[in-house]
Amino acid sequence: MALEIEHKFLLANDDWRSEVDHSVHYKQGYLSSSPLSSIRVRISDSKAWLNIKRATIGTHRQEFEYEIPLSDANSILDELCHKPLVEKIRYFVYRDRHVWEIDEFMGDNQGLIVAEIELSAIGEAFAKPAWVGMEVTDDLRYYNNNLCKHPFKDWDK
């Protein structure tokens, strides 16, 4: 079992774009999402994973992840996952011993951009770049499993 420790933020501006090291396209779907856990399948390039997360609000939660065959993942996404699928481009920005992962969503969640920083210990200190805005770690709307059920396009703006 792994413990995921992360903080999630909105962005204050687009200045982060000049610091991007590389990016990856993700397509993911949810098989199950309950008050206890979520089970998702994710494809990135030529690899795929099955991921199980404890549904905990806050900065840390249990996470299990297993690589699965790409053909299985495509079948699961097409035939078994709740729709709409969540698609995004994840940009990686390296700063001060940390990696900022910035997700720019597509499809029904287009227009939403969220930055995350994953930490190695609960309470670990980190510097917030000037392009990082309001923290939304405790706001369920920004969790990917909720973006599948309640896409950004349906939010009251």
Side-chain angles (χ1 to χ4, degrees):
M1 173 197 71
L3 185 64
E4 177 185 62
I5 305 164
E6 70 179 13
H7 291 264
K8 192 179 297 258
F9 299 87
L10 297 179
L11 296 170
N13 57 53
D14 278 345
D15 292 351
W16 59 272
R17 290 187 187 276
S18 65
E19 299 183 47
V20 171
D21 180 80
H22 68 283
S23 64
V24 177
H25 177 262
Y26 287 117
K27 180 165 63 167
Q28 62 193 46
Y30 289 84
L31 292 160
S32 172
S33 185
S34 72
L36 188 58
S37 65
S38 67
I39 303 170
R40 79 167 180 224
V41 170
R42 173 186 275 175
I43 293 177
S44 164
D45 299 325
S46 61
K47 294 192 174 196
W49 299 268
L50 177 68
N51 177 282
I52 304 164
K53 285 187 184 185
R54 183 176 184 149
T56 304
I57 300 171
T59 61
H60 58 282
R61 57 188 162 172
Q62 292 174 308
E63 178 181 37
F64 305 87
E65 190 165 71
Y66 309 96
E67 192 166 344
I68 62 172
L70 183 60
S71 59
D72 289 359
N74 278 313
S75 293
I76 292 168
L77 287 173
D78 290 344
E79 300 169 23
L80 301 175
C81 287
H82 300 283
K83 304 298 188 280
L85 298 177
V86 174
E87 287 196 67
K88 60 189 176 183
I89 298 173
R90 174 166 285 171
Y91 301 92
F92 295 85
V93 173
Y94 297 89
R95 270 189 159 232
D96 304 321
R97 301 179 351 263
H98 291 105
V99 179
W100 287 89
E101 297 175 345
I102 300 157
D103 292 339
E104 184 170 19
F105 291 88
M106 304 157 67
D108 287 353
N109 292 297
Q110 186 167 354
L112 179 61
I113 304 175
V114 177
E116 298 177 351
I117 185 169
E118 194 160 326
L119 305 174
S120 55
I122 297 170
E124 178 183 348
F126 62 93
K128 281 181 24 178
W131 40 260
V132 171
M134 180 177 75
E135 184 164 4
V136 293
T137 302
D138 294 330
D139 190 334
L140 288 175
R141 294 178 302 163
Y142 294 96
Y143 284 61
N144 286 283
N145 63 329
N146 285 324
L147 290 173
C148 174
K149 293 184 263 183
H150 306 288
F152 185 66
K153 72 175 182 70
D154 296 338
W155 293 12
D156 291 331
K157 307 274 190 290

